[in-house]
Amino acid sequence: LGIPVLNLWSIMQEKGVHIDGGYSRFLCDGLHLSPLGNECVYEELMRIIVTHYPHLSPDALPWEMPLWRDVNPANPDTIFSQAVPPQPQLQPTPNLPPATTRR
Protein backbone atom coordinates (compact mmCIF):
# COMPACT_ATOMS: atom_id res chain seq x y z
CA LEU A 1 0.00 0.00 0.00
CA GLY A 2 2.99 2.32 0.26
CA ILE A 3 2.14 3.48 3.78
CA PRO A 4 5.23 4.37 5.84
CA VAL A 5 5.77 2.35 9.00
CA LEU A 6 7.58 3.36 12.18
CA ASN A 7 9.36 0.22 13.37
CA LEU A 8 10.24 1.40 16.87
CA TRP A 9 11.83 -1.85 17.98
CA SER A 10 14.40 -1.79 15.17
CA ILE A 11 15.01 1.95 15.59
CA MET A 12 15.57 1.62 19.35
CA GLN A 13 17.91 -1.34 18.87
CA GLU A 14 19.90 0.55 16.23
CA LYS A 15 20.12 3.76 18.29
CA GLY A 16 20.79 1.79 21.47
CA VAL A 17 24.12 0.59 20.09
CA HIS A 18 25.41 4.15 20.43
CA ILE A 19 24.34 4.89 24.02
CA ASP A 20 25.22 3.46 27.43
CA GLY A 21 22.62 0.95 28.55
CA GLY A 22 21.61 0.02 25.00
CA TYR A 23 18.03 0.02 23.81
CA SER A 24 16.73 -0.55 27.35
CA ARG A 25 17.39 3.18 28.01
CA PHE A 26 14.34 3.83 25.80
CA LEU A 27 12.09 1.83 28.16
CA CYS A 28 11.53 2.69 31.83
CA ASP A 29 10.28 -0.75 32.89
CA GLY A 30 10.94 -2.96 29.89
CA LEU A 31 7.60 -2.08 28.29
CA HIS A 32 6.71 1.61 28.67
CA LEU A 33 8.67 4.40 27.06
CA SER A 34 11.11 6.42 29.13
CA PRO A 35 11.62 10.15 28.45
CA LEU A 36 14.39 9.17 26.02
CA GLY A 37 12.00 6.69 24.37
CA ASN A 38 9.33 9.35 23.98
CA GLU A 39 11.89 11.68 22.43
CA CYS A 40 12.91 8.93 19.98
CA VAL A 41 9.26 8.31 18.98
CA TYR A 42 8.69 12.03 18.45
CA GLU A 43 11.81 12.47 16.31
CA GLU A 44 11.08 9.44 14.14
CA LEU A 45 7.38 10.24 13.76
CA MET A 46 8.17 13.82 12.75
CA ARG A 47 10.71 12.51 10.23
CA ILE A 48 8.03 10.35 8.61
CA ILE A 49 5.45 13.16 8.60
CA VAL A 50 7.84 15.71 7.07
CA THR A 51 9.13 13.22 4.49
CA HIS A 52 5.89 11.53 3.40
CA TYR A 53 3.16 13.99 4.43
CA PRO A 54 4.78 17.45 4.34
CA HIS A 55 1.36 19.14 4.15
CA LEU A 56 0.68 17.76 7.67
CA SER A 57 3.92 18.96 9.24
CA PRO A 58 3.45 21.51 12.03
CA ASP A 59 5.01 24.28 9.93
CA ALA A 60 2.46 23.70 7.15
CA LEU A 61 -0.67 23.70 9.34
CA PRO A 62 -2.74 26.89 9.57
CA TRP A 63 -3.09 28.82 12.79
CA GLU A 64 -6.55 28.53 14.32
CA MET A 65 -6.03 30.99 17.16
CA PRO A 66 -4.08 34.23 17.43
CA LEU A 67 -0.56 34.19 18.76
CA TRP A 68 -0.26 35.23 22.39
CA ARG A 69 1.84 38.26 21.45
CA ASP A 70 -1.00 39.58 19.26
CA VAL A 71 -3.46 39.67 22.16
CA ASN A 72 -3.91 43.00 23.94
CA PRO A 73 -3.73 42.15 27.68
CA ALA A 74 -5.84 45.21 28.54
CA ASN A 75 -8.63 44.13 26.17
CA PRO A 76 -8.12 40.52 25.03
CA ASP A 77 -11.56 40.23 23.38
CA THR A 78 -10.60 42.63 20.59
CA ILE A 79 -8.40 40.03 18.90
CA PHE A 80 -11.42 37.81 18.27
CA SER A 81 -13.37 40.56 16.53
CA GLN A 82 -10.64 41.02 13.92
CA ALA A 83 -10.90 39.23 10.63
CA VAL A 84 -8.75 36.12 10.48
CA PRO A 85 -6.69 36.04 7.28
CA PRO A 86 -7.61 33.17 4.97
CA GLN A 87 -5.46 30.09 5.42
CA PRO A 88 -4.47 27.62 2.73
CA GLN A 89 -6.71 24.58 2.65
CA LEU A 90 -5.13 21.23 3.46
CA GLN A 91 -5.08 18.84 0.55
CA PRO A 92 -5.98 15.18 1.05
CA THR A 93 -3.08 12.78 1.25
CA PRO A 94 -2.48 11.34 -2.23
CA ASN A 95 -2.35 7.65 -3.05
CA LEU A 96 -4.07 6.35 0.09
CA PRO A 97 -6.93 3.88 -0.24
CA PRO A 98 -10.33 5.00 1.08
CA ALA A 99 -10.99 4.26 4.74
CA THR A 100 -12.91 1.11 5.46
CA THR A 101 -14.82 0.05 8.54
CA ARG A 102 -14.07 -3.31 10.10
CA ARG A 103 -16.67 -5.23 12.03
Side-chain angles (χ1 to χ4, degrees), residues 97-103:
T100 57
T101 304
R102 292 185 185 191
R103 293 181 185 211

Side-chain angles (χ1 to χ4, degrees), residues 15 26 33-46:
K15 287 186 174 191
F26 295 107
L33 294 170
S34 68
L36 186 63
N38 280 299
E39 185 178 326
C40 175
V41 170
Y42 170 79
E43 289 171 357
E44 294 299 322
L45 186 58
M46 289 307 300

Side-chain angles (χ1 to χ4, degrees), residues 22-94:
Y23 71 87
S24 62
R25 291 275 317 272
F26 295 107
L27 305 170
C28 61
D29 59 4
L31 175 63
H32 298 95
L33 294 170
S34 68
L36 186 63
N38 280 299
E39 185 178 326
C40 175
V41 170
Y42 170 79
E43 289 171 357
E44 294 299 322
L45 186 58
M46 289 307 300
R47 182 183 58 78
I48 285 179
I49 290 171
V50 169
T51 302
H52 298 280
Y53 307 103
H55 61 284
L56 296 177
S57 71
D59 293 336
L61 296 177
W63 290 97
E64 301 223 358
M65 297 295 290
L67 297 174
W68 66 269
R69 64 177 168 260
D70 296 334
V71 177
N72 177 354
N75 194 359
D77 291 341
T78 58
I79 193 71
F80 298 106
S81 63
Q82 299 173 6
V84 177
Q87 299 291 328
Q89 295 296 315
L90 293 177
Q91 300 301 317
T93 304

